[in-house]
Structures are given as C-alpha cells and as structure tokens.
Amino acid sequence: MNKLVLTVATAALAIAGTSSVAYAAAPKAAAKSAAKPAAAAPAGGDSQAQHAMLYLKVLISGLQSDKIEEPVKGALVGCIYDNSLGKITESMDKVIAENSGKISRDNPSELLSVMAQICGYKPTAPAAGTAPAKPAPQGR
C-alpha cells in the first residue's frame, strides 16, 4: 500500500503538470452550444458530468504518467474497457461521499488511488505481521 501511495503521490506531480487535456473539437462544440438554448438537465446531472470529466482527466493523466506502474495502468484500462464512464463516476462519487473529509476531488493523487482500487488494482504487499527479508550477511 505504501508503494501505491508513493507511486500515486509522485504521479500527482505529473498530473498537476498536465492538468488540461486538449480537445480539437472544443471550439466548434462551444460555438454550437452557445447558439442553442440549454436543455434542462436532471438534478445533479451537471455536477455528475463535471465529475465524469474530472475522473476521465485523472485516468488519462495516470495512463500517460511515467510514474504510474504498469499493473495500475492495466487495471485502469480494463476498468474503462469493461465499464461505462457513468458507472465509474457513480462508483467514485459513492466512495468519496462515504469518505467525506478523507478524499478530496481537488487532489488528483487521491482520486487516482481511489480509481485504481475501484478498478480492481490490489497492491502486492507482504502479509501482515511478516518481517521484511533481511539481506544475506556478507563475509570476508
């Protein structure tokens, strides 16, 4: 778990450096949406869409980061392959709501850690109560 925390924490620095994702169609979409009246969205729909965009940005940044290990990236790819972004967003929002005060949407490393766990990543760690292996004594 400590290795995941360290890995995710170092990835946060990389994520902070790539906090925006360029969308080639964004200017055209913005012009089209400005010309049309806004459709009525269901309650909470806007914030759920914003959360989905945030989680997708964190996922993409994690996949692009050199600091994230391949098993974590594999879990993230498998997750987005097998689940809709809406389903991932619902799961993320549920975990964040259950752990309010502990997990912040303003902290990409926390979000990536939660997402990796939701996506099934299980860090390999020594069994509880097991002492780390001692190095072999070196003789003369």
Side-chain angles (χ1 to χ4, degrees), residues 114-134:
V114 169
M115 189 177 298
Q117 291 175 2
I118 285 173
C119 290
Y121 176 72
K122 305 260 189 272
T124 55
T130 306
K134 294 181 183 178

Side-chain angles (χ1 to χ4, degrees), residues 23-138:
Y23 295 99
K28 290 179 184 178
K32 285 182 182 179
S33 65
K36 295 179 182 178
D46 187 35
S47 66
Q48 187 174 18
Q50 290 174 345
H51 292 171
M53 289 188 300
L54 172 64
Y55 303 147
L56 184 58
K57 186 187 304 185
V58 168
L59 184 139
I60 291 169
S61 295
L63 292 175
Q64 293 175 336
S65 173
D66 296 345
K67 312 274 188 220
I68 302 298
E69 296 175 353
E70 289 304 314
V72 176
K73 290 180 179 183
L76 294 173
V77 169
C79 194
I80 196 75
Y81 184 81
D82 291 335
N83 300 286
S84 69
L85 183 57
K87 196 174 196 179
I88 295 168
T89 299
E90 287 174 15
S91 297
M92 289 287 292
D93 286 345
K94 181 180 177 186
V95 170
I96 291 169
E98 290 172 353
N99 295 284
S100 63
K102 295 179 185 176
I103 302 170
S104 170
R105 284 189 183 87
D106 295 332
N107 188 331
S109 64
E110 289 177 357
L111 293 178
L112 188 60
S113 178
V114 169
M115 189 177 298
Q117 291 175 2
I118 285 173
C119 290
Y121 176 72
K122 305 260 189 272
T124 55
T130 306
K134 294 181 183 178
Q138 294 180 352

